[in-house]
Each structure stands twice: as C-alpha cells, then as structure tokens.
Amino acid sequence: MNRLSQSFFQQPDTLQIAKDLLGKKLVTNFNHNITSGIITEVEAYCGIADKACHAFGDRRTKRTETMYKAGGVVYVYLCYGIHHLLNIVTHQENNPHAVLIRGIQPVDGVATMLKRRNKKKLDKGITIGPGKVSQALGITTNLDGISIEDHRIWIESTRIIVPKNKIKSTPRIGVDYAGEDAKLPYRFLLPDRYFS
DNA sequence: ATGAGGATTCCA
DNA sequence: GGAATCCTCATC
C-alpha cells in the first residue's frame, strides 16, 4: 500500500488530517523488525491559539521547536518522565499543529509488540493509549524531528473505509488545564472492535 | 540552581 | 486512589 507523503500532513485542516488518519496503518521498522497497527484513536493539537497545545502562545522552546517544522515530521516527547508520546506534525512551517496517535489495532509483528510491552498474550488494550502505542512500536524521543517518510517509521494507506458517521469525537484526554479549550471535541476514535 | 508539574500507565 | 519517574520550562 502507498505510504503517505509529508505533503499529506501539510494540508491546512489539522482536524481533517486527524480524522483521515483513522484506518491508516502506522509502521515502524528497526533492524528489519517490522511492527504495525491500524490507527483507531487520535487527537488534534491546533497551533498557538490552542491552550492545550504545547506551542500555545507561540511558545518556542527546545522541545516545541519540532512542532514548528513543516508538516510531515514526527514529534516525540517524554510525558510524566516515563512515556514517549508520538505525534505527527501538520500544517506549514512555523504553524505548530500536530496529531497525537492515541491508539492502534495491532497488525504486523505482534510477537515483538508483546515483548516490548512485557505482555504474554494479545488482549484488548495492548496498544490503546499513547504511551502504549509508542512502547509497542519501539518509538522513543530519539526519533523526534525525523520525517514520516523515514525508513524507520511511516504511515500507509489501506483498503479500510471509514464512514464519517462512524467517527466518534470527544474532548481531549488529560488537558483539563486548558480552560475552555479542554472542551473542544478534538479527539477522534473508531468504535470498539470496528475491524474485527 | 531550583522546583513544580505533566497530551500516562499500572497495580492495589 | 496513588506511585512511578525525569525532562522541560519558568523563575529565582
């Protein structure tokens, strides 16, 4: 299947990109060890006016600098000192939007993912949650800033059709500090067991 | 130099 | 319900 180009992520509507990522396949490949899954849950973070966004108020720091790159690069940062959270930067250079990948449904390399997650068997929820996604796919902050067309990480289109009315939206998770913006319906997910 | 807090997960 | 855990960032 076709890999999404960086230009896909440079479109102007981050909410639309976020929704379009549902049903696509996220793949990593380290030392010929391929792991992948279908994206089932995402959140959009929309630039300097979005209080929940790291770049709110045009905050340019060493960490957020990645978000200011042109769309189509990976933004990975450490959360709570433990979890590596994977985002794909969207929009144009100096317009810091991104989509957080919050959940996937495992496809390739299940054994590897279980091992990375310290799990014995494949139960529901093995890759639901942003920290779990990164752990299962072997993603760490050392990928921060690389292209989504890299040989180590990419996203493929699939045959999966996601009808608009199947996409559920809710407020984003863990952003209570964001005031009014905490209520924005910028989290998008597919119904449980959508593919099974 | 210091300290508060975080786009989470796991276990009791 | 609370701990784990450490980097980032604002402030001193």
Side-chain angles (χ1 to χ4, degrees):
Chain A
M1 287 293 187
N2 285 334
R3 299 185 185 190
L4 301 187
S5 66
Q6 285 194 226
S7 61
F8 172 86
F9 296 92
Q10 292 168 6
Q11 301 173 89
D13 188 345
T14 298
L15 297 180
Q16 189 59 51
I17 293 170
K19 286 182 268 193
D20 286 346
L21 285 176
L22 296 173
K24 302 273 191 299
K25 187 158 91 163
L26 172 62
V27 190
T28 61
N29 181 4
F30 301 107
N31 303 314
H32 305 287
N33 215 345
I34 289 184
T35 49
S36 75
I38 303 298
I39 297 170
T40 58
E41 180 180 339
V42 296
E43 280 176 3
Y45 287 87
C46 299
I48 63 175
D50 178 356
K51 289 196 177 71
C53 182
H54 286 165
F56 170 68
D58 206 19
R59 229 173 32 153
R60 288 189 94 120
T61 65
K62 195 175 174 194
R63 180 177 71 159
T64 63
E65 197 57 34
T66 303
M67 287 194 77
Y68 285 83
K69 294 191 180 192
V73 300
V74 165
Y75 172 43
V76 186
Y77 74 95
L78 193 64
C79 186
Y80 296 109
I82 304 172
H83 307 288
H84 301 259
L85 268 54
L86 170 68
N87 305 251
I88 319 296
V89 174
T90 64
H91 226 291
Q92 300 296 313
E93 189 175 4
N94 293 322
N95 198 337
H97 293 223
V99 176
L100 170 68
I101 308 297
R102 293 190 55 89
I104 64 172
Q105 177 171 312
V107 177
D108 303 304
V110 170
T112 301
M113 288 194 267
L114 287 173
K115 197 169 174 185
R116 288 180 181 144
R117 294 270 302 111
N118 296 314
K119 297 288 181 189
K120 288 267 185 281
K121 68 184 248 242
L122 185 62
D123 51 3
K124 185 181 132 191
I126 189 88
T127 50
I128 303 296
K132 297 180 186 176
V133 169
S134 294
Q135 189 181 21
L137 294 179
I139 293 164
T140 63
T141 50
N142 60 26
L143 295 186
D144 183 52
I146 70 169
S147 168
I148 195 61
E149 298 183 68
D150 195 84
H151 66 281
R152 291 162 291 180
I153 182 167
W154 66 90
I155 294 176
E156 299 176 4
S157 56
T158 68
R159 298 189 127 79
I160 295 166
I161 308 288
V162 178
K164 248 189 181 153
N165 60 14
K166 292 289 183 193
I167 301 177
K168 185 180 168 190
S169 61
T170 79
R172 292 167 291 187
I173 304 296
V175 297
D176 296 341
Y177 59 85
E180 282 299 300
D181 290 348
K183 298 176 184 157
L184 294 170
Y186 286 180
R187 175 180 178 231
F188 304 104
L189 60 160
L190 295 176
D192 221 23
R193 312 211 168 184
Y194 183 70
F195 305 109
S196 61

